[in-house]
Amino acid sequence: MKKNIIITGGAGFIGSHVVRRLVNNYPEYHIINVDSLTYAGNLENLKDIEGKSNYEFLKADITDIIAMNTLFESRNIHSVIHLAAESHVDRSITNPLDFVQTNVFGTVILLNAFKAFGDVDNGRFYHVSTDEVYGALGDDGKFLETTPYSPNSPYSASKASSDHFVRAYHETYQLPIVISNCSNNYGSHQFPEKLIPLMIHNIKNNKPLPVYGKGENVRDWLWVNDHASAIDAVFHKGRNGETYNIGGNNEWRNIDLIKKLCEILDIKLNRENGTSEKLITYVNDRKGHDFRYAIDATKIESELGWSPSVNFADGFEKTIDWYLENDEWLNNVTSGNYQSYYKDMYEVR
Ligand code: NAD
Ligand code: TYD
């Protein structure tokens, strides 16, 4: 009998990489990808594994109590890897309630369903979370697993809240759980509302590159496939009830990252050096913009033997090439609703 593993949000950016990895590497699992296909979910991301016998897609909303309870009751669910979420900070500033609904309410619905019907003796509930729950750093220091939570955006507040519920279900009901908090991911299949694919798309189309504030905010970037390998390690080897921080040890000021992107794309698009940089446009800062994120990943490295597999230069180049080679994917996701999102977010900024 294969073990039934639910991955929520498997049609999104990180989720699709996690689904692909588990379907390909663990034939003893039957992976059920539960995703409601919001604007961020895209089955094109999983075309290559669509027909695999140990993979199934279920279009369902994690906030639908009846659908979730029916799924867990009928399918003998061994474990859950929970990634489904509203994930974009700027959208959370406009619509905080959507984030409460999916990230908090949805997580508690899944916890209840797993507690009532899941294999709580042998399986586990894994919540995939973000380093943004720890708040903002100044020039020095890094987030540790013991850093107190101090979320600043509605997005990070909703993720912090869901982390707390997951922990509370462990303490209160002894639910087997594990949590990881990861830094910013980059890679293929990321929706172009996030910094890197948005900038690549705009450079390609000679559109302004909207840099928030002075561009001095710092993020720690990790290749999405390395996040997927970390999730694999935490899911299989992480200790029950524990939290693991995941990061790339790869800090960039936004403006430096954007200039690097311009430099590489000038070469790849046969433009004169300095052409794309001219598109940089400073715009009003994001409200409550966290200054710096940085992760101390010693715990996952020493306990679980995980470390990133690629250096940033290689991962970045692979990522840029993917967006250049997948015009159709980028065009599909930037038509329709993206146009009005972009207009609302950037036109009068
Ligand atoms: P994403 O926005 O690309 O994908 C989210 C997925 O969840 C989409 O497929 C969407 O359709 C699905 N979804 C949303 N609401 C749903 C609902 N109510 N029911 C079912 N499915 C629903 O997000 P991502 O960047 O891949 O992030 C995945 C997870 O990793 C999130 O929990 C996020 O908080 C976390 N995370 C992201 C990053 C990052 O850099 N992107 C870093 C650390 C942690
Ligand atoms: P983002 O990709 O939204 O990730 P997060 O806010 O979760 O870290 O943004 C990364 C950084 O880039 C963040 O400091 C905000 C900044 N940013 C811009 O300057 N311009 C943009 O158009 C976007 C989307 C982000």
Side-chain angles (χ1 to χ4, degrees), residues 247-270:
N249 214 1
N250 175 42
E251 291 180 47
W252 284 81
R253 290 194 320 162
N254 292 338
I255 190 64
D256 299 333
L257 188 76
I258 293 162
K259 285 186 176 166
K260 186 83 199 156
L261 200 51
C262 290
E263 188 188 308
I264 297 173
L265 277 167
D266 276 349
I267 297 168
K268 290 189 184 283
L269 297 172
N270 294 317

mmCIF file with all atom_site columns, all heavy atoms in Angstrom, residues 247-270:
data_model
loop_
_atom_site.group_PDB
_atom_site.id
_atom_site.type_symbol
_atom_site.label_atom_id
_atom_site.label_alt_id
_atom_site.label_comp_id
_atom_site.label_asym_id
_atom_site.label_entity_id
_atom_site.label_seq_id
_atom_site.pdbx_PDB_ins_code
_atom_site.Cartn_x
_atom_site.Cartn_y
_atom_site.Cartn_z
_atom_site.occupancy
_atom_site.B_iso_or_equiv
_atom_site.pdbx_formal_charge
_atom_site.auth_seq_id
_atom_site.auth_comp_id
_atom_site.auth_asym_id
_atom_site.auth_atom_id
_atom_site.pdbx_PDB_model_num
ATOM 1   N N   . GLY A 1 247 ? 17.810 28.885 4.849   1.00 0.00 ? 247 GLY A N   1
ATOM 2   C CA  . GLY A 1 247 ? 18.252 30.104 4.168   1.00 0.00 ? 247 GLY A CA  1
ATOM 3   C C   . GLY A 1 247 ? 19.431 29.834 3.249   1.00 0.00 ? 247 GLY A C   1
ATOM 4   O O   . GLY A 1 247 ? 20.042 28.763 3.285   1.00 0.00 ? 247 GLY A O   1
ATOM 5   N N   . GLY A 1 248 ? 19.728 30.829 2.425   1.00 0.00 ? 248 GLY A N   1
ATOM 6   C CA  . GLY A 1 248 ? 20.753 30.644 1.407   1.00 0.00 ? 248 GLY A CA  1
ATOM 7   C C   . GLY A 1 248 ? 22.096 31.256 1.762   1.00 0.00 ? 248 GLY A C   1
ATOM 8   O O   . GLY A 1 248 ? 23.060 31.116 1.018   1.00 0.00 ? 248 GLY A O   1
ATOM 9   N N   . ASN A 1 249 ? 22.172 31.953 2.921   1.00 0.00 ? 249 ASN A N   1
ATOM 10  C CA  . ASN A 1 249 ? 23.410 32.645 3.274   1.00 0.00 ? 249 ASN A CA  1
ATOM 11  C C   . ASN A 1 249 ? 23.853 33.531 2.110   1.00 0.00 ? 249 ASN A C   1
ATOM 12  O O   . ASN A 1 249 ? 25.008 33.524 1.692   1.00 0.00 ? 249 ASN A O   1
ATOM 13  C CB  . ASN A 1 249 ? 24.496 31.624 3.608   1.00 0.00 ? 249 ASN A CB  1
ATOM 14  C CG  . ASN A 1 249 ? 25.418 32.155 4.696   1.00 0.00 ? 249 ASN A CG  1
ATOM 15  O OD1 . ASN A 1 249 ? 25.219 33.277 5.188   1.00 0.00 ? 249 ASN A OD1 1
ATOM 16  N ND2 . ASN A 1 249 ? 26.426 31.391 5.050   1.00 0.00 ? 249 ASN A ND2 1
ATOM 17  N N   . ASN A 1 250 ? 22.889 34.256 1.568   1.00 0.00 ? 250 ASN A N   1
ATOM 18  C CA  . ASN A 1 250 ? 23.092 34.931 0.291   1.00 0.00 ? 250 ASN A CA  1
ATOM 19  C C   . ASN A 1 250 ? 22.305 36.246 0.282   1.00 0.00 ? 250 ASN A C   1
ATOM 20  O O   . ASN A 1 250 ? 21.249 36.351 -0.319  1.00 0.00 ? 250 ASN A O   1
ATOM 21  C CB  . ASN A 1 250 ? 22.606 33.975 -0.814  1.00 0.00 ? 250 ASN A CB  1
ATOM 22  C CG  . ASN A 1 250 ? 22.639 34.589 -2.173  1.00 0.00 ? 250 ASN A CG  1
ATOM 23  O OD1 . ASN A 1 250 ? 23.596 35.283 -2.535  1.00 0.00 ? 250 ASN A OD1 1
ATOM 24  N ND2 . ASN A 1 250 ? 21.593 34.352 -2.946  1.00 0.00 ? 250 ASN A ND2 1
ATOM 25  N N   . GLU A 1 251 ? 22.849 37.231 0.989   1.00 0.00 ? 251 GLU A N   1
ATOM 26  C CA  . GLU A 1 251 ? 22.112 38.488 1.156   1.00 0.00 ? 251 GLU A CA  1
ATOM 27  C C   . GLU A 1 251 ? 22.417 39.476 0.027   1.00 0.00 ? 251 GLU A C   1
ATOM 28  O O   . GLU A 1 251 ? 23.580 39.647 -0.346  1.00 0.00 ? 251 GLU A O   1
ATOM 29  C CB  . GLU A 1 251 ? 22.502 39.140 2.488   1.00 0.00 ? 251 GLU A CB  1
ATOM 30  C CG  . GLU A 1 251 ? 22.008 38.377 3.691   1.00 0.00 ? 251 GLU A CG  1
ATOM 31  C CD  . GLU A 1 251 ? 22.421 39.074 4.979   1.00 0.00 ? 251 GLU A CD  1
ATOM 32  O OE1 . GLU A 1 251 ? 22.235 40.305 5.083   1.00 0.00 ? 251 GLU A OE1 1
ATOM 33  O OE2 . GLU A 1 251 ? 22.956 38.384 5.866   1.00 0.00 ? 251 GLU A OE2 1
ATOM 34  N N   . TRP A 1 252 ? 21.371 40.101 -0.453  1.00 0.00 ? 252 TRP A N   1
ATOM 35  C CA  . TRP A 1 252 ? 21.497 41.128 -1.502  1.00 0.00 ? 252 TRP A CA  1
ATOM 36  C C   . TRP A 1 252 ? 20.635 42.341 -1.151  1.00 0.00 ? 252 TRP A C   1
ATOM 37  O O   . TRP A 1 252 ? 19.470 42.167 -0.777  1.00 0.00 ? 252 TRP A O   1
ATOM 38  C CB  . TRP A 1 252 ? 20.992 40.575 -2.839  1.00 0.00 ? 252 TRP A CB  1
ATOM 39  C CG  . TRP A 1 252 ? 21.920 39.634 -3.507  1.00 0.00 ? 252 TRP A CG  1
ATOM 40  C CD1 . TRP A 1 252 ? 22.073 38.301 -3.231  1.00 0.00 ? 252 TRP A CD1 1
ATOM 41  C CD2 . TRP A 1 252 ? 22.824 39.939 -4.584  1.00 0.00 ? 252 TRP A CD2 1
ATOM 42  N NE1 . TRP A 1 252 ? 23.015 37.761 -4.074  1.00 0.00 ? 252 TRP A NE1 1
ATOM 43  C CE2 . TRP A 1 252 ? 23.494 38.748 -4.913  1.00 0.00 ? 252 TRP A CE2 1
ATOM 44  C CE3 . TRP A 1 252 ? 23.134 41.107 -5.299  1.00 0.00 ? 252 TRP A CE3 1
ATOM 45  C CZ2 . TRP A 1 252 ? 24.446 38.675 -5.931  1.00 0.00 ? 252 TRP A CZ2 1
ATOM 46  C CZ3 . TRP A 1 252 ? 24.079 41.041 -6.304  1.00 0.00 ? 252 TRP A CZ3 1
ATOM 47  C CH2 . TRP A 1 252 ? 24.733 39.839 -6.608  1.00 0.00 ? 252 TRP A CH2 1
ATOM 48  N N   . ARG A 1 253 ? 21.200 43.542 -1.355  1.00 0.00 ? 253 ARG A N   1
ATOM 49  C CA  . ARG A 1 253 ? 20.345 44.734 -1.356  1.00 0.00 ? 253 ARG A CA  1
ATOM 50  C C   . ARG A 1 253 ? 19.528 44.679 -2.640  1.00 0.00 ? 253 ARG A C   1
ATOM 51  O O   . ARG A 1 253 ? 20.058 44.318 -3.712  1.00 0.00 ? 253 ARG A O   1
ATOM 52  C CB  . ARG A 1 253 ? 21.194 46.013 -1.363  1.00 0.00 ? 253 ARG A CB  1
ATOM 53  C CG  . ARG A 1 253 ? 21.938 46.288 -0.078  1.00 0.00 ? 253 ARG A CG  1
ATOM 54  C CD  . ARG A 1 253 ? 22.460 47.716 -0.036  1.00 0.00 ? 253 ARG A CD  1
ATOM 55  N NE  . ARG A 1 253 ? 22.977 48.165 -1.331  1.00 0.00 ? 253 ARG A NE  1
ATOM 56  C CZ  . ARG A 1 253 ? 23.163 49.434 -1.666  1.00 0.00 ? 253 ARG A CZ  1
ATOM 57  N NH1 . ARG A 1 253 ? 22.888 50.397 -0.815  1.00 0.00 ? 253 ARG A NH1 1
ATOM 58  N NH2 . ARG A 1 253 ? 23.641 49.764 -2.846  1.00 0.00 ? 253 ARG A NH2 1
ATOM 59  N N   . ASN A 1 254 ? 18.261 45.066 -2.568  1.00 0.00 ? 254 ASN A N   1
ATOM 60  C CA  . ASN A 1 254 ? 17.412 44.972 -3.762  1.00 0.00 ? 254 ASN A CA  1
ATOM 61  C C   . ASN A 1 254 ? 18.048 45.657 -4.961  1.00 0.00 ? 254 ASN A C   1
ATOM 62  O O   . ASN A 1 254 ? 18.063 45.117 -6.071  1.00 0.00 ? 254 ASN A O   1
ATOM 63  C CB  . ASN A 1 254 ? 16.044 45.609 -3.498  1.00 0.00 ? 254 ASN A CB  1
ATOM 64  C CG  . ASN A 1 254 ? 15.227 44.818 -2.497  1.00 0.00 ? 254 ASN A CG  1
ATOM 65  O OD1 . ASN A 1 254 ? 15.463 43.623 -2.300  1.00 0.00 ? 254 ASN A OD1 1
ATOM 66  N ND2 . ASN A 1 254 ? 14.281 45.484 -1.842  1.00 0.00 ? 254 ASN A ND2 1
ATOM 67  N N   . ILE A 1 255 ? 18.582 46.853 -4.758  1.00 0.00 ? 255 ILE A N   1
ATOM 68  C CA  . ILE A 1 255 ? 19.099 47.614 -5.893  1.00 0.00 ? 255 ILE A CA  1
ATOM 69  C C   . ILE A 1 255 ? 20.291 46.908 -6.551  1.00 0.00 ? 255 ILE A C   1
ATOM 70  O O   . ILE A 1 255 ? 20.431 46.914 -7.781  1.00 0.00 ? 255 ILE A O   1
ATOM 71  C CB  . ILE A 1 255 ? 19.432 49.082 -5.484  1.00 0.00 ? 255 ILE A CB  1
ATOM 72  C CG1 . ILE A 1 255 ? 19.737 49.939 -6.709  1.00 0.00 ? 255 ILE A CG1 1
ATOM 73  C CG2 . ILE A 1 255 ? 20.523 49.178 -4.460  1.00 0.00 ? 255 ILE A CG2 1
ATOM 74  C CD1 . ILE A 1 255 ? 18.583 50.100 -7.662  1.00 0.00 ? 255 ILE A CD1 1
ATOM 75  N N   . ASP A 1 256 ? 21.125 46.271 -5.729  1.00 0.00 ? 256 ASP A N   1
ATOM 76  C CA  . ASP A 1 256 ? 22.278 45.548 -6.290  1.00 0.00 ? 256 ASP A CA  1
ATOM 77  C C   . ASP A 1 256 ? 21.811 44.338 -7.099  1.00 0.00 ? 256 ASP A C   1
ATOM 78  O O   . ASP A 1 256 ? 22.370 44.023 -8.152  1.00 0.00 ? 256 ASP A O   1
ATOM 79  C CB  . ASP A 1 256 ? 23.228 45.106 -5.175  1.00 0.00 ? 256 ASP A CB  1
ATOM 80  C CG  . ASP A 1 256 ? 23.783 46.301 -4.412  1.00 0.00 ? 256 ASP A CG  1
ATOM 81  O OD1 . ASP A 1 256 ? 23.873 47.394 -5.015  1.00 0.00 ? 256 ASP A OD1 1
ATOM 82  O OD2 . ASP A 1 256 ? 24.101 46.153 -3.212  1.00 0.00 ? 256 ASP A OD2 1
ATOM 83  N N   . LEU A 1 257 ? 20.796 43.664 -6.576  1.00 0.00 ? 257 LEU A N   1
ATOM 84  C CA  . LEU A 1 257 ? 20.261 42.487 -7.274  1.00 0.00 ? 257 LEU A CA  1
ATOM 85  C C   . LEU A 1 257 ? 19.647 42.901 -8.615  1.00 0.00 ? 257 LEU A C   1
ATOM 86  O O   . LEU A 1 257 ? 19.849 42.251 -9.647  1.00 0.00 ? 257 LEU A O   1
ATOM 87  C CB  . LEU A 1 257 ? 19.196 41.826 -6.390  1.00 0.00 ? 257 LEU A CB  1
ATOM 88  C CG  . LEU A 1 257 ? 18.674 40.494 -6.879  1.00 0.00 ? 257 LEU A CG  1
ATOM 89  C CD1 . LEU A 1 257 ? 19.702 39.392 -6.617  1.00 0.00 ? 257 LEU A CD1 1
ATOM 90  C CD2 . LEU A 1 257 ? 17.373 40.125 -6.177  1.00 0.00 ? 257 LEU A CD2 1
ATOM 91  N N   . ILE A 1 258 ? 18.916 44.011 -8.602  1.00 0.00 ? 258 ILE A N   1
ATOM 92  C CA  . ILE A 1 258 ? 18.255 44.474 -9.828  1.00 0.00 ? 258 ILE A CA  1
ATOM 93  C C   . ILE A 1 258 ? 19.316 44.903 -10.859 1.00 0.00 ? 258 ILE A C   1
ATOM 94  O O   . ILE A 1 258 ? 19.208 44.602 -12.056 1.00 0.00 ? 258 ILE A O   1
ATOM 95  C CB  . ILE A 1 258 ? 17.274 45.626 -9.506  1.00 0.00 ? 258 ILE A CB  1
ATOM 96  C CG1 . ILE A 1 258 ? 16.115 45.083 -8.652  1.00 0.00 ? 258 ILE A CG1 1
ATOM 97  C CG2 . ILE A 1 258 ? 16.740 46.291 -10.766 1.00 0.00 ? 258 ILE A CG2 1
ATOM 98  C CD1 . ILE A 1 258 ? 15.313 46.139 -7.916  1.00 0.00 ? 258 ILE A CD1 1
ATOM 99  N N   . LYS A 1 259 ? 20.366 45.572 -10.384 1.00 0.00 ? 259 LYS A N   1
ATOM 100 C CA  . LYS A 1 259 ? 21.435 45.986 -11.318 1.00 0.00 ? 259 LYS A CA  1
ATOM 101 C C   . LYS A 1 259 ? 22.141 44.767 -11.906 1.00 0.00 ? 259 LYS A C   1
ATOM 102 O O   . LYS A 1 259 ? 22.498 44.745 -13.085 1.00 0.00 ? 259 LYS A O   1
ATOM 103 C CB  . LYS A 1 259 ? 22.433 46.899 -10.607 1.00 0.00 ? 259 LYS A CB  1
ATOM 104 C CG  . LYS A 1 259 ? 21.869 48.295 -10.400 1.00 0.00 ? 259 LYS A CG  1
ATOM 105 C CD  . LYS A 1 259 ? 22.883 49.259 -9.822  1.00 0.00 ? 259 LYS A CD  1
ATOM 106 C CE  . LYS A 1 259 ? 22.269 50.665 -9.743  1.00 0.00 ? 259 LYS A CE  1
ATOM 107 N NZ  . LYS A 1 259 ? 23.040 51.576 -8.905  1.00 0.00 ? 259 LYS A NZ  1
ATOM 108 N N   . LYS A 1 260 ? 22.336 43.734 -11.088 1.00 0.00 ? 260 LYS A N   1
ATOM 109 C CA  . LYS A 1 260 ? 22.967 42.493 -11.575 1.00 0.00 ? 260 LYS A CA  1
ATOM 110 C C   . LYS A 1 260 ? 22.099 41.870 -12.667 1.00 0.00 ? 260 LYS A C   1
ATOM 111 O O   . LYS A 1 260 ? 22.581 41.428 -13.710 1.00 0.00 ? 260 LYS A O   1
ATOM 112 C CB  . LYS A 1 260 ? 23.125 41.537 -10.382 1.00 0.00 ? 260 LYS A CB  1
ATOM 113 C CG  . LYS A 1 260 ? 23.871 40.282 -10.678 1.00 0.00 ? 260 LYS A CG  1
ATOM 114 C CD  . LYS A 1 260 ? 25.357 40.566 -10.583 1.00 0.00 ? 260 LYS A CD  1
ATOM 115 C CE  . LYS A 1 260 ? 26.167 39.541 -11.289 1.00 0.00 ? 260 LYS A CE  1
ATOM 116 N NZ  . LYS A 1 260 ? 27.484 40.056 -11.694 1.00 0.00 ? 260 LYS A NZ  1
ATOM 117 N N   . LEU A 1 261 ? 20.804 41.862 -12.407 1.00 0.00 ? 261 LEU A N   1
ATOM 118 C CA  . LEU A 1 261 ? 19.840 41.307 -13.365 1.00 0.00 ? 261 LEU A CA  1
ATOM 119 C C   . LEU A 1 261 ? 19.924 42.079 -14.693 1.00 0.00 ? 261 LEU A C   1
ATOM 120 O O   . LEU A 1 261 ? 19.942 41.481 -15.779 1.00 0.00 ? 261 LEU A O   1
ATOM 121 C CB  . LEU A 1 261 ? 18.446 41.450 -12.748 1.00 0.00 ? 261 LEU A CB  1
ATOM 122 C CG  . LEU A 1 261 ? 17.300 40.612 -13.237 1.00 0.00 ? 261 LEU A CG  1
ATOM 123 C CD1 . LEU A 1 261 ? 17.660 39.149 -13.277 1.00 0.00 ? 261 LEU A CD1 1
ATOM 124 C CD2 . LEU A 1 261 ? 16.095 40.823 -12.295 1.00 0.00 ? 261 LEU A CD2 1
ATOM 125 N N   . CYS A 1 262 ? 19.983 43.399 -14.592 1.00 0.00 ? 262 CYS A N   1
ATOM 126 C CA  . CYS A 1 262 ? 20.073 44.242 -15.793 1.00 0.00 ? 262 CYS A CA  1
ATOM 127 C C   . CYS A 1 262 ? 21.338 43.916 -16.578 1.00 0.00 ? 262 CYS A C   1
ATOM 128 O O   . CYS A 1 262 ? 21.312 43.790 -17.815 1.00 0.00 ? 262 CYS A O   1
ATOM 129 C CB  . CYS A 1 262 ? 20.094 45.725 -15.406 1.00 0.00 ? 262 CYS A CB  1
ATOM 130 S SG  . CYS A 1 262 ? 18.527 46.329 -14.767 1.00 0.00 ? 262 CYS A SG  1
ATOM 131 N N   . GLU A 1 263 ? 22.434 43.763 -15.848 1.00 0.00 ? 263 GLU A N   1
ATOM 132 C CA  . GLU A 1 263 ? 23.733 43.493 -16.495 1.00 0.00 ? 263 GLU A CA  1
ATOM 133 C C   . GLU A 1 263 ? 23.681 42.158 -17.257 1.00 0.00 ? 263 GLU A C   1
ATOM 134 O O   . GLU A 1 263 ? 24.077 42.074 -18.420 1.00 0.00 ? 263 GLU A O   1
ATOM 135 C CB  . GLU A 1 263 ? 24.757 43.427 -15.360 1.00 0.00 ? 263 GLU A CB  1
ATOM 136 C CG  . GLU A 1 263 ? 26.200 43.349 -15.736 1.00 0.00 ? 263 GLU A CG  1
ATOM 137 C CD  . GLU A 1 263 ? 27.021 43.091 -14.448 1.00 0.00 ? 263 GLU A CD  1
ATOM 138 O OE1 . GLU A 1 263 ? 26.865 43.829 -13.439 1.00 0.00 ? 263 GLU A OE1 1
ATOM 139 O OE2 . GLU A 1 263 ? 27.803 42.120 -14.452 1.00 0.00 ? 263 GLU A OE2 1
ATOM 140 N N   . ILE A 1 264 ? 23.131 41.128 -16.597 1.00 0.00 ? 264 ILE A N   1
ATOM 141 C CA  . ILE A 1 264 ? 23.076 39.797 -17.233 1.00 0.00 ? 264 ILE A CA  1
ATOM 142 C C   . ILE A 1 264 ? 22.120 39.837 -18.430 1.00 0.00 ? 264 ILE A C   1
ATOM 143 O O   . ILE A 1 264 ? 22.410 39.301 -19.494 1.00 0.00 ? 264 ILE A O   1
ATOM 144 C CB  . ILE A 1 264 ? 22.628 38.723 -16.212 1.00 0.00 ? 264 ILE A CB  1
ATOM 145 C CG1 . ILE A 1 264 ? 23.650 38.598 -15.082 1.00 0.00 ? 264 ILE A CG1 1
ATOM 146 C CG2 . ILE A 1 264 ? 22.416 37.377 -16.897 1.00 0.00 ? 264 ILE A CG2 1
ATOM 147 C CD1 . ILE A 1 264 ? 23.230 37.693 -13.926 1.00 0.00 ? 264 ILE A CD1 1
ATOM 148 N N   . LEU A 1 265 ? 20.984 40.509 -18.259 1.00 0.00 ? 265 LEU A N   1
ATOM 149 C CA  . LEU A 1 265 ? 20.007 40.525 -19.351 1.00 0.00 ? 265 LEU A CA  1
ATOM 150 C C   . LEU A 1 265 ? 20.479 41.368 -20.533 1.00 0.00 ? 265 LEU A C   1
ATOM 151 O O   . LEU A 1 265 ? 20.150 41.060 -21.684 1.00 0.00 ? 265 LEU A O   1
ATOM 152 C CB  . LEU A 1 265 ? 18.640 40.969 -18.842 1.00 0.00 ? 265 LEU A CB  1
ATOM 153 C CG  . LEU A 1 265 ? 17.866 39.802 -18.216 1.00 0.00 ? 265 LEU A CG  1
ATOM 154 C CD1 . LEU A 1 265 ? 16.649 40.283 -17.437 1.00 0.00 ? 265 LEU A CD1 1
ATOM 155 C CD2 . LEU A 1 265 ? 17.415 38.794 -19.271 1.00 0.00 ? 265 LEU A CD2 1
ATOM 156 N N   . ASP A 1 266 ? 21.267 42.406 -20.274 1.00 0.00 ? 266 ASP A N   1
ATOM 157 C CA  . ASP A 1 266 ? 21.846 43.155 -21.405 1.00 0.00 ? 266 ASP A CA  1
ATOM 158 C C   . ASP A 1 266 ? 22.648 42.203 -22.295 1.00 0.00 ? 266 ASP A C   1
ATOM 159 O O   . ASP A 1 266 ? 22.552 42.255 -23.522 1.00 0.00 ? 266 ASP A O   1
ATOM 160 C CB  . ASP A 1 266 ? 22.768 44.278 -20.892 1.00 0.00 ? 266 ASP A CB  1
ATOM 161 C CG  . ASP A 1 266 ? 21.980 45.546 -20.533 1.00 0.00 ? 266 ASP A CG  1
ATOM 162 O OD1 . ASP A 1 266 ? 20.778 45.610 -20.873 1.00 0.00 ? 266 ASP A OD1 1
ATOM 163 O OD2 . ASP A 1 266 ? 22.559 46.455 -19.907 1.00 0.00 ? 266 ASP A OD2 1
ATOM 164 N N   . ILE A 1 267 ? 23.423 41.330 -21.662 1.00 0.00 ? 267 ILE A N   1
ATOM 165 C CA  . ILE A 1 267 ? 24.231 40.380 -22.446 1.00 0.00 ? 267 ILE A CA  1
ATOM 166 C C   . ILE A 1 267 ? 23.322 39.387 -23.172 1.00 0.00 ? 267 ILE A C   1
ATOM 167 O O   . ILE A 1 267 ? 23.426 39.197 -24.383 1.00 0.00 ? 267 ILE A O   1
ATOM 168 C CB  . ILE A 1 267 ? 25.229 39.625 -21.524 1.00 0.00 ? 267 ILE A CB  1
ATOM 169 C CG1 . ILE A 1 267 ? 26.216 40.615 -20.898 1.00 0.00 ? 267 ILE A CG1 1
ATOM 170 C CG2 . ILE A 1 267 ? 25.956 38.517 -22.298 1.00 0.00 ? 267 ILE A CG2 1
ATOM 171 C CD1 . ILE A 1 267 ? 27.047 40.046 -19.762 1.00 0.00 ? 267 ILE A CD1 1
ATOM 172 N N   . LYS A 1 268 ? 22.378 38.810 -22.426 1.00 0.00 ? 268 LYS A N   1
ATOM 173 C CA  . LYS A 1 268 ? 21.541 37.754 -23.020 1.00 0.00 ? 268 LYS A CA  1
ATOM 174 C C   . LYS A 1 268 ? 20.596 38.288 -24.107 1.00 0.00 ? 268 LYS A C   1
ATOM 175 O O   . LYS A 1 268 ? 20.220 37.576 -25.012 1.00 0.00 ? 268 LYS A O   1
ATOM 176 C CB  . LYS A 1 268 ? 20.731 37.035 -21.938 1.00 0.00 ? 268 LYS A CB  1
ATOM 177 C CG  . LYS A 1 268 ? 21.630 36.177 -21.029 1.00 0.00 ? 268 LYS A CG  1
ATOM 178 C CD  . LYS A 1 268 ? 20.833 35.294 -20.110 1.00 0.00 ? 268 LYS A CD  1
ATOM 179 C CE  . LYS A 1 268 ? 21.733 34.536 -19.148 1.00 0.00 ? 268 LYS A CE  1
ATOM 180 N NZ  . LYS A 1 268 ? 22.425 33.390 -19.771 1.00 0.00 ? 268 LYS A NZ  1
ATOM 181 N N   . LEU A 1 269 ? 20.213 39.561 -23.978 1.00 0.00 ? 269 LEU A N   1
ATOM 182 C CA  . LEU A 1 269 ? 19.288 40.135 -24.968 1.00 0.00 ? 269 LEU A CA  1
ATOM 183 C C   . LEU A 1 269 ? 20.030 40.955 -26.032 1.00 0.00 ? 269 LEU A C   1
ATOM 184 O O   . LEU A 1 269 ? 19.395 41.688 -26.801 1.00 0.00 ? 269 LEU A O   1
ATOM 185 C CB  . LEU A 1 269 ? 18.245 41.017 -24.259 1.00 0.00 ? 269 LEU A CB  1
ATOM 186 C CG  . LEU A 1 269 ? 17.310 40.309 -23.272 1.00 0.00 ? 269 LEU A CG  1
ATOM 187 C CD1 . LEU A 1 269 ? 16.466 41.315 -22.488 1.00 0.00 ? 269 LEU A CD1 1
ATOM 188 C CD2 . LEU A 1 269 ? 16.395 39.313 -23.988 1.00 0.00 ? 269 LEU A CD2 1
ATOM 189 N N   . ASN A 1 270 ? 21.366 40.818 -26.025 1.00 0.00 ? 270 ASN A N   1
ATOM 190 C CA  . ASN A 1 270 ? 22.199 41.556 -26.988 1.00 0.00 ? 270 ASN A CA  1
ATOM 191 C C   . ASN A 1 270 ? 21.958 43.054 -26.950 1.00 0.00 ? 270 ASN A C   1
ATOM 192 O O   . ASN A 1 270 ? 21.831 43.709 -27.988 1.00 0.00 ? 270 ASN A O   1
ATOM 193 C CB  . ASN A 1 270 ? 21.947 41.059 -28.432 1.00 0.00 ? 270 ASN A CB  1
ATOM 194 C CG  . ASN A 1 270 ? 22.417 39.647 -28.598 1.00 0.00 ? 270 ASN A CG  1
ATOM 195 O OD1 . ASN A 1 270 ? 23.510 39.306 -28.119 1.00 0.00 ? 270 ASN A OD1 1
ATOM 196 N ND2 . ASN A 1 270 ? 21.605 38.817 -29.226 1.00 0.00 ? 270 ASN A ND2 1
#
